[in-house]
Amino acid sequence: MKFVKHIFVALVLVATLGAKEQVNINFSNLEIDEFVRLVSKITNKNILITHKITGSVDMVSSAPVYDTELMDILISVLESKGFTLIENGSMYEVVRSNDAAKSTYKVEKTGVSVNGALMTTQVIDVQWENVDIVAAKIRYLLSTAAKLMTMKETNAILITDYPKNIETIKKVIVQIDAKYKNIVKLVPIKYTEIKKLQARLNDISKSLFNEKVDGEMVKIVLDENSNSLVLVGKEANVEKIEELITKMDIEIANKAVQIFILKNSDVASVVASLNDIISKQTFADPSLKPNISASEEINGVIAVGDPSVISGIKLIIDELDKEKFQVYVKARIVNIFNSDAENIGIRYGFDGAFLTTDGLYSLATNFGGAPVQGIVGSALTGQITGSSSDITAGFALGAALDFLEKKGASQLVSNPSILCVNNQESSIYVGQTISITTGSVTSSATSVPGTTNSYKREDVGLTLKIKPRVSSTDKVTLNVEAIMEGVDDYGDASTGQQPITSKQEVKTQAILGHGENIIIGGLVKNTQSENISKVPLLGDIPWLGEWLFSSRSSSVEESNLVVILTPYIVDKSEKLSELQRELGVLANLQQKYNDIIFEEIEKGEFKKASEELETPKGTQIIRLEGE
């Protein structure tokens, strides 16, 4: 027979080991369907063949094999041709591999080992890793006819395959799952601020571990109750983060703490400046960023941080806390009546009757001031240190204003002095508060009849605001705001007439030198008045006296409000008392200057008077300049 022809070595029973038998088989170019019949005889299993399977198989055996292994050999041969073997009741059936999944397979319990030659179904649990990731990694191990499905609800894999494949896949899954097995560790934080440390560690973790691999990342959770960080992840990675925490906690604990007591500056403004600078800096290590806070009780800055960073902060604080420039501003606010000043100018031959800023300076030149050198100014030049034109101009301007006031052509409104700190606004207010009716209520009740008035209180006076900005030891920029409010008519409470107030305001900016004057003018006010002239007795005759013996005239008086400012720059506080002494000497010299000039003016000529003006013995006027 054909079957016998292809058998080179007959089947020989070698030994019997329990239920298993060992056989020696050798065949060459054996048809596959004949090989199926051979296996059926040896294993004593009925095998149904419903498809024509072409091809042959060779088997070379140098050692005996178990008869149960013949079924595995048969399945391998059938798979090579696109077929497989399934169990169908009491027999086996040869089917196409693609149709094998439609068959009913034996389902094994989860966790038990599977064996045999036929395909089996089993559920494999995945402990730690994501089941989809595991399935993707072991899918290449499946046989051609195998099927695999993941169950996310239980993190398990449902697989149908040959027992040997299933066991191999289970071993691989154990290795993958064990590799990413997570641990939980609680690490107490002793020194640093835990929230900032958590943020820094999260950033470092992203750099150390691959974010795309879930098993590599370490989750860092904050536990505020125990002031600890909870680390969840692979043991090796958790240990790395724990080592970092230990090092960073010690480093933060060794930060320097320093308190800087401020002598000249306000702590709130200094801290605001420091925090603004720090917020714009980029630190390679976030732990180097210092913490700055203010202690208003001691006017001190508290700095916590790395010693190298604190040293830089100290340099900034030293600069910010330097002694501030101070500016002593003398102000003179004068109301000049134009008509009276013009009469004085005509009477004495002055061209300063036109009351503009230039006119006032022109008037001052007639007193020996700049730009024309006067004889008295020349006499003073030898007695006072500094620029002769500046000093002389100052005395001449003061004399011109005093002369107008003496002759009734001007009125000194206020003569305030303000000591200002550099870049800080200072103000002074002098005035009164008046009541102004805002409404009235008339009651017709018999119990409380009459009218009830309501009032508001309003401040009326002089307000002077000055903000200096020193650019050098002898130059200062002044931001000036002067407001002059007055009461033109107090009204009549009995008739219900309200008070009438006036307001004059000027805002300006000027750059001045130390001791230099500036005149701010142009605030014009017109006052209308009625004048009645009549012959005594006759003018009082009714009707007749009013028409024949009296006359009426109206006039409009124009006045200018002039503000004269003189700043003195003080770079050190101890020079304030020195400045006060010098200003006292200057006031005495101004008075002597006025006496001499006024006397010469009344005589109608200027005479040399330098020998009559003496500076007090041992007195020297100097300009206060920085060292």
Side-chain angles (χ1 to χ4, degrees), residues 95 414 604:
V95 297
S414 183

Side-chain angles (χ1 to χ4, degrees), residues 64-172:
V65 297
Y66 290 109
D67 56 353
T68 54
E69 293 179 331
L70 288 175
M71 193 64 70
D72 295 332
I73 297 172
L74 175 59
I75 290 174
S76 297
V77 172
L78 292 175
E79 275 203 329
S80 67
K81 299 300 180 179
F83 294 90
T84 188
L85 201 63
I86 65 171
E87 190 172 7
N88 190 358
S90 60
M91 64 178 180
Y92 296 111
E93 182 179 355
V94 177
V95 297
R96 294 188 183 277
S97 297
N98 294 336
D99 298 330
K102 301 177 182 179
S103 304
T104 302
Y105 294 104
K106 182 180 179 181
V107 178
E108 297 287 355
K109 291 183 179 180
T110 301
V112 301
S113 298
V114 292
N115 50 52
L118 301 181
M119 297 182 77
T120 303
T121 299
Q122 190 175 37
V123 176
I124 303 174
D125 290 329
V126 179
Q127 295 277 336
W128 308 104
E129 185 59 275
N130 184 293
V131 66
D132 290 328
I133 295 177
V134 173
K137 293 177 179 178
I138 55 91
R139 197 176 292 276
Y140 78 97
L141 297 173
L142 298 175
S143 61
T144 305
K147 298 294 180 182
L148 181 146
M149 183 178 69
T150 60
M151 297 180 290
K152 295 182 180 180
E153 298 82 1
T154 57
N155 206 50
I157 297 175
L158 178 62
I159 186 170
T160 299
D161 204 348
Y162 297 107
K164 288 184 178 180
N165 278 0
I166 291 177
E167 289 300 314
T168 300
I169 289 171
K170 285 162 67 174
K171 290 178 181 178
V172 173

Side-chain angles (χ1 to χ4, degrees), residues 112-405:
V112 301
S113 298
V114 292
N115 50 52
L118 301 181
M119 297 182 77
T120 303
T121 299
Q122 190 175 37
V123 176
I124 303 174
D125 290 329
V126 179
Q127 295 277 336
W128 308 104
E129 185 59 275
N130 184 293
V131 66
D132 290 328
I133 295 177
V134 173
K137 293 177 179 178
I138 55 91
R139 197 176 292 276
Y140 78 97
L141 297 173
L142 298 175
S143 61
T144 305
K147 298 294 180 182
L148 181 146
M149 183 178 69
T150 60
M151 297 180 290
K152 295 182 180 180
E153 298 82 1
T154 57
N155 206 50
I157 297 175
L158 178 62
I159 186 170
T160 299
D161 204 348
Y162 297 107
K164 288 184 178 180
N165 278 0
I166 291 177
E167 289 300 314
T168 300
I169 289 171
K170 285 162 67 174
K171 290 178 181 178
V172 173
I173 290 176
V174 169
Q175 293 295 321
I176 295 174
D177 214 21
K179 181 180 179 181
Y180 296 113
K181 184 176 180 180
N182 289 340
I183 65 169
V184 179
K185 197 155 192 179
L186 189 72
V187 182
I189 305 303
K190 298 179 180 179
Y191 306 107
T192 189
E193 186 178 347
I194 192 168
K195 289 184 178 179
K196 291 184 178 180
L197 180 60
Q198 180 193 25
R200 290 195 292 267
L201 290 172
N202 279 325
D203 292 338
I204 295 172
S205 178
K206 292 176 183 178
S207 301
L208 287 177
F209 312 123
N210 190 348
E211 293 182 76
K212 297 180 179 180
V213 180
D214 292 341
E216 286 294 307
M217 293 304 297
V218 176
K219 190 171 184 180
I220 304 171
V221 182
L222 172 64
D223 180 24
E224 295 182 349
N225 293 331
S226 61
N227 198 49
S228 303
L229 292 177
V230 182
L231 309 181
V232 182
K234 191 171 69 174
E235 184 174 4
N237 293 354
V238 168
E239 289 178 354
K240 287 183 181 180
I241 297 298
E242 184 183 12
E243 183 179 354
L244 280 175
I245 292 174
T246 303
K247 291 181 179 180
M248 294 174 71
D249 205 20
I250 293 175
E251 180 183 352
I252 295 173
N254 290 334
K255 280 190 172 183
V257 178
Q258 195 161 349
I259 299 176
F260 301 95
I261 305 298
L262 303 183
K263 299 178 181 179
N264 304 295
S265 302
D266 178 66
V267 66
S269 61
V270 171
V271 169
S273 299
L274 290 173
N275 284 326
D276 184 56
I277 294 171
I278 292 171
S279 65
K280 296 177 182 178
Q281 300 298 311
T282 302
F283 296 90
D285 184 355
S287 64
L288 294 177
K289 185 175 182 180
N291 293 322
I292 306 295
S293 58
S295 174
E296 295 184 356
E297 293 182 359
I298 61 173
N299 196 48
V301 178
I302 303 174
V304 181
D306 187 88
S308 60
V309 179
I310 296 297
S311 61
I313 291 176
K314 181 181 182 301
L315 295 176
I316 298 175
I317 292 176
D318 290 342
E319 289 298 319
L320 294 175
D321 195 38
K322 282 185 176 180
E323 186 172 359
K324 305 294 186 296
F325 278 101
Q326 297 183 83
V327 180
Y328 183 74
V329 181
K330 291 189 67 177
R332 190 170 183 177
I333 302 173
V334 181
N335 202 15
I336 301 177
F337 307 108
N338 288 17
S339 59
D340 293 337
E342 184 177 357
N343 291 333
I344 292 175
I346 294 173
R347 177 181 174 185
Y348 291 97
F350 295 156
D351 60 354
F354 302 99
L355 294 175
T356 62
T357 301
D358 293 336
L360 198 54
Y361 268 122
S362 181
L363 176 62
T365 62
N366 290 276
F367 289 82
V372 180
Q373 278 291 333
I375 54 175
V376 178
S378 300
L380 289 172
T381 301
Q383 303 294 333
I384 303 174
T385 304
S387 172
S388 61
S389 60
D390 289 346
I391 294 295
T392 308
F395 279 104
L397 179 60
L401 293 171
D402 291 340
F403 188 76
L404 290 175
E405 184 177 359

Side-chain angles (χ1 to χ4, degrees), residues 403-416:
F403 188 76
L404 290 175
E405 184 177 359
K406 180 179 179 181
K407 297 301 180 179
S410 69
Q411 179 186 10
L412 180 63
V413 177
S414 183
N415 192 20

Side-chain angles (χ1 to χ4, degrees), residues 471-487:
S471 56
S472 65
T473 55
D474 60 352
K475 286 291 182 181
V476 60
T477 300
L478 295 181
N479 291 315
V480 182
E481 180 179 358
I483 303 174
M484 180 62 192
E485 297 170 304
V487 181

